[in-house]
């Protein structure tokens, strides 16, 4: 077996810079999109054979350009019909799934989102990318950004979706071959610009950020009320029901366990969620609901509120402390068991034959919805984040579980549309062997009749990815994290320096991409299994810019580099 130790660079097209054609300015930019991936061979034992592991980074994108007529779709990958809007063919009435099928209904600037059902099976190779047509000059674009008649007031944006298809890895965003030239010097430029070199890159405003909802729009902070609705059934803890997911130890809230269970990962993820919002003084109220099943002598399901909704996030963090014990208390004992009654055995390897059985997801959603009614704020967006590793089924008691899809529909619709107040965004997290179909059907935006919205559904096949998903959802609950906001010249310089900008796989951690080292403990690798993360770059040439940029040319390459998490600390390759 060969050991591949050199990064590989895959360029979508040759680097090309064009002279400006317009009366003022130009744009250029760059020689397309390059992706790089460090495919370090890994080995695992499968039937007494050695199999090389994979580290496969796939990238898709949507690019928009506003030249005075609002943001237009100009380039996307994939784009099955070549119209500039991200799309794939599909077996539905429209014959396709498009970017514009997924707008953020609460954001008037949102025209859609990078297709959330894109994954490692349906993203075509980059060699098939179509770079579209410059809408101003109507010339084909041979690279990712090739706009040749940019004027003051013009702006553009690209949102990249990153998918690590197999193993976890660290990711950097990079730039190369950066140039900022005078290009064709026109008479008006020569009258006002006597310096050598181009000024265009220094006068373009740029922003680089994590576009958590992948909609090409930077989202600032808005007040929101959130309920975390968590599965407290025995399969989240006890080994005999699949609760243990790793023999590796885990430390949560200062407590170290010898093995890792699903509920440990939920505690880690939810407490990071709270810590992220608390550190940013976010305008949020948060509560926690739980659901289990029934014991043989129960007449009502074991469902309730672990923490009433509050703006005091320290109280929420305290409620989420020690979830092993609290779950064990709920599933053990007789009727009326609660998270704090102390009668449960939290040892995941103990005999759990006598615990309450069943899973009542719908009742958990109803309990969370009632908490919104009791303690939610008027006129504030509502979000219910529902996590389960199973599907609804009856326990050993006397009640029949209610439909989780109906409960979620009532939560989404509100009383004005036949549901229960208030209208609520329902996000679902399907862990491991959970019933994906049920949880996806539950997911959708406030007011959405149908549900089944993949933008609100998180399919977490590997429970180790639970904290990452909560990190993404925390970032969506607050203003999206800006990595850098400066001139395009400064942003490109940072991307071109050393290994580029190290990206953080979990935005709920306190990592500073520009100030902290790449191997900082707060920087997380990106999880594998195709979990989608979006990074966006926007630019604008201000209206007040004048003739000094006529004919100027900015050229650059963009790329992403990844290396495996295993046996690496995130510091990246040593500089040559």
């Amino acid at each position: 077996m060969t050991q591949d130790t050199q990064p590989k660079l895959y360029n979508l097209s040759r680097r090309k810079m064009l002279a400006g054609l317009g009366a003022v300015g130009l744009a250029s930019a760059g020689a397309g999109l390059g992706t790089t991936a460090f495919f370090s061979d890994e080995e695992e034992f499968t039937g007494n054979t050695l199999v090389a592991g994979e580290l496969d980074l796939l990238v898709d994108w949507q690019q928009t350009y506003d030249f005075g007529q609002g943001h237009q779709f100009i380039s996307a990958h994939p784009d099955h019909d070549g119209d500039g809007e991200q799309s794939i063919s599909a077996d539905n009435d429209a014959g396709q799934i498009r970017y514009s099928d997924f707008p953020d209904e609460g954001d008037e600037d949102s025209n859609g989102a990078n297709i959330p059902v894109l994954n490692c099976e349906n993203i075509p190779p980059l060699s098939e990318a179509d770079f579209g047509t410059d809408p101003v000059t109507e010339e084909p674009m041979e690279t990712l950004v090739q706009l040749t008649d940019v004027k003051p007031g013009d702006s553009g944006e690209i949102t990249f979706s990153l998918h690590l298809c197999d193993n976890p890895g660290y990711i950097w965003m990079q730039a190369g071959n950066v140039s900022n030239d005078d290009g064709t010097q026109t008479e008006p430029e020569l009258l006002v610009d006597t310096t050598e070199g181009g000024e265009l890159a220094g006068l373009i405003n740029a922003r680089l950020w994590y576009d958590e909802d992948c909609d090409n729009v930077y989202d600032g902070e808005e007040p929101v009320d959130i309920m975390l609705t968590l599965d407290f059934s025995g399969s989240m803890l006890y080994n005999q029901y699949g609760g243990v997911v790793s023999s590796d130890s885990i430390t949560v809230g200062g407590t170290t366990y010898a093995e890792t269970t699903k509920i440990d990962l939920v505690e880690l993820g939810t407490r990071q969620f709270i810590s992220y919002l608390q550190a940013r003084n976010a305008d949020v109220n948060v509560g926690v609901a739980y659901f289990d099943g029934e014991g043989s002598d129960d007449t009502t399901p074991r469902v309730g509120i672990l923490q009433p909704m509050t703006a005091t996030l320290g109280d929420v963090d305290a409620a989420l402390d020690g979830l092993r014990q609290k779950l064990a208390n709920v599933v053990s004992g007789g009727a009326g068991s609660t998270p704090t009654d102390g009668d449960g055995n939290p040892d995941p390897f103990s005999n759990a034959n006598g615990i309450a059985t069943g899973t009542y997801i719908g009742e958990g959603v109803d309990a969370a919805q009632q908490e919104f009614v009791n303690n939610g704020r008027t006129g504030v967006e509502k979000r219910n984040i529902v996590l389960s590793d199973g599907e609804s089924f009856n326990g050993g008691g006397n009640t029949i579980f209610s439909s989780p899809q109906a409960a979620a529909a009532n939560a989404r619709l509100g009383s004005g549309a036949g549901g229960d107040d208030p209208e609520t965004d329902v996000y679902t997290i399907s862990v491991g062997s959970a019933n994906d179909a049920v949880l996806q059907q539950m997911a959708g935006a406030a007011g959405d009749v149908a549900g089944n919205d993949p933008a609100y559904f998180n399919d977490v096949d590997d429970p180790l990815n639970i904290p990452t998903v909560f990190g993404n959802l925390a970032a969506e609950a607050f203003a999206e994290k800006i990595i850098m906001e400066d001139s395009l010249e400064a942003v490109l310089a940072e991307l071109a320096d050393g290994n580029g900008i190290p990206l953080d796989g979990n935005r709920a951690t306190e990592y500073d991409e520009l100030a902290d080292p790449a191997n900082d403990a707060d920087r997380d690798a990106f999880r594998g299994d195709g979990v989608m993360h979006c990074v966006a770059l926007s630019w604008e040439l201000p209206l007040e810019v004048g003739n000094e940029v006529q004919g100027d040319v900015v050229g650059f390459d963009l790329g992403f580099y990844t290396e495996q998490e295993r046996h690496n600390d995130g510091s990246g390759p040593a500089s040559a």
Side-chain angles (χ1 to χ4, degrees):
M1 177 178 298
T2 61
Q3 181 72 16
D4 190 352
T5 60
Q6 295 300 317
K8 295 182 175 67
L9 175 66
Y10 297 96
N11 285 313
L12 296 186
S13 68
R14 61 191 175 89
R15 186 169 187 274
K16 183 175 182 179
M17 296 192 303
L18 301 178
L21 301 181
V24 178
L26 137 105
S28 180
L33 172 73
T35 62
T36 67
F38 181 70
F39 296 95
S40 296
D41 284 348
E42 298 177 357
E43 299 171 350
E44 61 187 18
F45 289 101
T46 304
N48 294 321
T49 63
L50 286 174
V51 178
E54 296 182 4
L55 186 65
D56 191 9
L57 173 64
L58 294 183
V59 181
D60 64 84
W61 70 82
Q62 176 66 65
Q63 181 177 188
T64 64
Y65 178 35
D66 183 355
F67 50 97
Q69 300 180 23
H71 279 273
Q72 310 289 315
F73 298 126
I74 61 168
S75 169
H77 180 68
D79 180 6
H80 84 293
D81 56 6
D83 65 353
E85 180 182 359
Q86 191 178 74
S87 60
I88 56 175
S89 59
D91 185 18
N92 57 17
D93 291 343
Q96 63 179 342
I97 299 174
R98 303 173 301 169
Y99 174 96
S100 56
D101 293 334
F102 304 100
D104 181 349
E105 301 294 348
D107 184 352
E108 62 183 14
D109 296 321
S110 176
N111 296 315
N114 284 23
I115 298 173
V117 296
L118 287 176
N119 55 47
C120 297
E121 283 69 48
N122 60 22
I123 298 175
L126 293 175
S127 59
E128 298 180 12
D130 181 348
F131 295 113
T133 301
D134 183 332
V136 177
T137 66
E138 299 184 351
E139 295 178 353
M141 298 194 298
E142 298 179 21
T143 62
L144 181 62
V145 183
Q146 187 180 322
L147 305 171
T148 60
D149 190 19
V150 170
K151 302 290 198 305
D154 286 2
S155 61
E157 196 273 354
I158 310 169
T159 286
F160 301 99
S161 298
L162 311 178
H163 310 253
L164 274 177
C165 299
D166 300 287
N167 291 301
Y170 296 100
I171 298 178
W172 287 255
M173 187 172 182
Q174 303 174 327
N177 295 324
V178 178
S179 61
N180 188 23
D181 302 327
D182 278 326
T184 302
Q185 291 187 297
T186 63
E187 181 180 355
E189 181 186 11
L190 291 171
L191 291 174
V192 297
D193 179 15
T194 59
T195 60
E196 291 293 328
E199 286 76 35
L200 182 58
L203 293 172
I204 290 176
N205 297 327
R207 174 188 287 154
L208 181 66
W209 81 98
Y210 295 103
D211 188 5
E212 299 295 348
D213 54 1
C214 304
D215 69 346
N216 292 68
V217 178
Y218 172 72
D219 296 324
E221 182 184 7
E222 296 288 344
V224 59
D225 289 349
I226 302 170
M227 285 298 296
L228 304 174
T229 304
L230 307 177
D231 191 335
F232 267 29
S233 58
S235 59
M236 294 291 292
L237 172 61
Y238 294 106
N239 187 57
Q240 72 186 80
Y241 299 118
V244 176
V245 299
S246 172
S247 60
D248 293 338
S249 63
I250 186 173
T251 300
V252 187
T255 301
T256 299
Y257 301 108
E259 64 289 309
T260 300
T261 69
K262 296 174 190 172
I263 198 65
D264 299 332
L265 294 161
V266 170
E267 180 176 341
L268 180 63
T270 53
R271 295 185 73 180
Q272 286 182 345
F273 180 98
I274 297 302
S275 176
Y276 177 90
L277 298 176
Q278 195 170 24
R280 285 153 183 79
N281 197 29
D283 186 3
V284 296
N285 283 5
V286 182
V288 184
Y290 66 90
F291 57 88
D292 178 34
E294 288 184 323
S296 58
D297 56 349
D298 283 334
T299 57
T300 58
R302 300 185 180 189
V303 174
I305 300 299
L306 180 64
Q307 170 61 52
M309 184 170 291
T310 178
T312 307
L313 297 186
D315 291 349
V316 184
D317 181 71
L320 292 167
D321 183 32
L323 289 189
R324 275 196 187 194
Q325 182 66 62
K326 290 171 181 175
L327 183 153
N329 294 341
V330 169
V331 302
S332 303
S337 289
T338 69
T340 57
D341 60 23
D343 61 357
N345 185 349
D347 180 357
F349 297 101
S350 63
N351 187 328
N353 288 337
I355 66 171
T357 57
T359 304
Y360 286 66
I361 301 174
E363 285 77 359
V365 172
D366 290 340
Q369 199 66 16
Q370 187 59 47
E371 184 62 19
F372 282 130
V373 172
N374 293 343
N375 293 312
R377 294 174 290 176
T378 302
V380 171
E381 179 183 349
K382 305 293 189 293
R383 294 182 183 178
N384 189 0
I385 300 172
V386 184
L387 178 144
S388 179
D389 74 335
E391 60 182 315
S392 287
F393 68 101
N394 296 318
N398 300 312
T399 64
I400 305 298
F401 74 85
S402 66
S403 164
Q405 296 98 317
N410 286 335
R412 295 192 311 270
L413 293 177
S415 62
D420 299 323
D421 271 335
E423 290 188 4
T424 303
D425 294 329
V426 178
Y427 292 82
T428 57
I429 305 173
S430 177
V431 177
S433 60
N435 190 324
D436 291 346
V438 169
L439 288 161
Q440 181 164 341
Q441 186 64 52
M442 294 170 61
D448 179 8
V449 175
N452 199 33
D453 189 336
Y456 291 78
F457 172 67
N458 298 273
D459 186 6
V460 185
D461 291 333
D462 184 349
L464 293 174
N465 292 334
I466 290 172
T468 297
V469 171
F470 275 107
N472 295 346
L473 293 172
E476 285 190 42
F478 188 67
E480 291 175 330
K481 183 180 180 181
I482 296 174
I483 300 169
M484 185 173 183
E485 192 165 25
D486 208 317
S487 68
L488 180 61
E489 182 175 43
V491 171
L492 291 175
E494 196 72 40
L495 289 168
D497 183 37
N499 294 322
I501 294 179
L503 303 178
D504 188 8
N506 182 357
R507 269 74 70 199
T509 62
E510 296 298 319
Y511 180 67
D512 187 324
E513 287 79 359
L514 302 183
D516 292 337
N519 61 350
D520 191 274
D522 282 333
R523 181 192 178 206
D524 282 8
F526 288 73
R527 307 314 303 174
D529 298 324
V531 176
M532 185 169 78
H533 299 260
C534 289
V535 178
L537 176 65
S538 64
W539 60 268
E540 179 182 16
L541 183 61
L543 277 168
E544 61 269 19
V545 172
N547 288 333
E548 67 270 25
V549 299
Q550 281 203 39
D552 284 7
V553 178
V554 180
F556 54 91
D557 296 336
L558 290 176
F560 295 92
Y561 165 78
T562 183
E563 67 180 24
Q564 68 183 37
E565 178 187 28
R566 190 189 304 176
H567 307 308
N568 287 306
D569 63 1
S571 56
S575 300

